[in-house]
Amino acid sequence: MVKWVKREFFHLYLEGNKNLLNILDGTNDKLPPKSPILEDVFRTYLLFGGYPEVVLGGLRNEIESIAVTSIEEDIIRYFSLKDHDRMWSFVKRLAVVPGQLVKLSSFDVSFRTAEEYLTILSRSFIIRLIGTYSHNKNVELSKVKKVYLYDNWFRNALIGSFTLIESDKGPLVENAIFRQLLKYGEIKYWRTRGGAEVDFILLRGTDAIPI
């Protein structure tokens, strides 16, 4: 993973970040040219995320056990959850498809237990729930939320897969973009009853930017 620590990659990132900020702030409407170098790094990021000890290779062989410990020690034991298997089943189901709509009635637990699990996982910085964008705040609160994970490596460790298969590319890219957008403002999503959807609505000041 030497390529992660080369200085030129950091400069490419800074330049891209500056371009993105200009686009978000409306001072530029042109996307930067494609960078094969960054695309190669991004593919690795989709699988192993952005935690320094992971991407530098120091914990590459241990990340699945770290994920297990995080769930067992930091969540199940800390919150004194009695049914280990149900929590594992719950979190793995959330991890399979980042960006999915979370319908509490679809889980193999009671509505109240599902709410409790979501709260615990959110407060433990395992998942992040985002709501719908609307001018009506009551509508925002009542709509179904979407779920993302804070880092791709944790998701891949939970499901035991570090191979970029075709069916995984979309959700992994969406989760990675979500993680980066967190730096630029509050995130919502927009969806009609007919199923038309904008993946992200980025709120910056008084602007609502569809992505």
Side-chain angles (χ1 to χ4, degrees), residues 139-158:
V139 172
E140 283 190 8
L141 293 173
S142 65
K143 291 283 187 176
V144 176
K145 290 181 169 56
K146 291 174 69 173
V147 62
Y148 294 94
L149 281 84
Y150 273 95
D151 202 88
N152 278 23
W153 81 264
F154 197 88
R155 178 265 182 187
N156 294 329
L158 284 176

Side-chain angles (χ1 to χ4, degrees), residues 20-21 24-25 183-186 202-209:
L20 177 59
L21 284 173
L24 294 177
D25 294 336
K183 298 183 293 186
Y184 301 106
E186 185 181 1
L202 180 65
L203 304 180
R204 284 175 60 83
T206 57
D207 294 330
I209 306 168

Side-chain angles (χ1 to χ4, degrees), residues 156-172:
N156 294 329
L158 284 176
I159 67 172
S161 174
F162 288 91
T163 303
L164 194 59
I165 61 176
E166 194 65 34
S167 60
D168 252 3
K169 288 181 180 179
L172 285 177

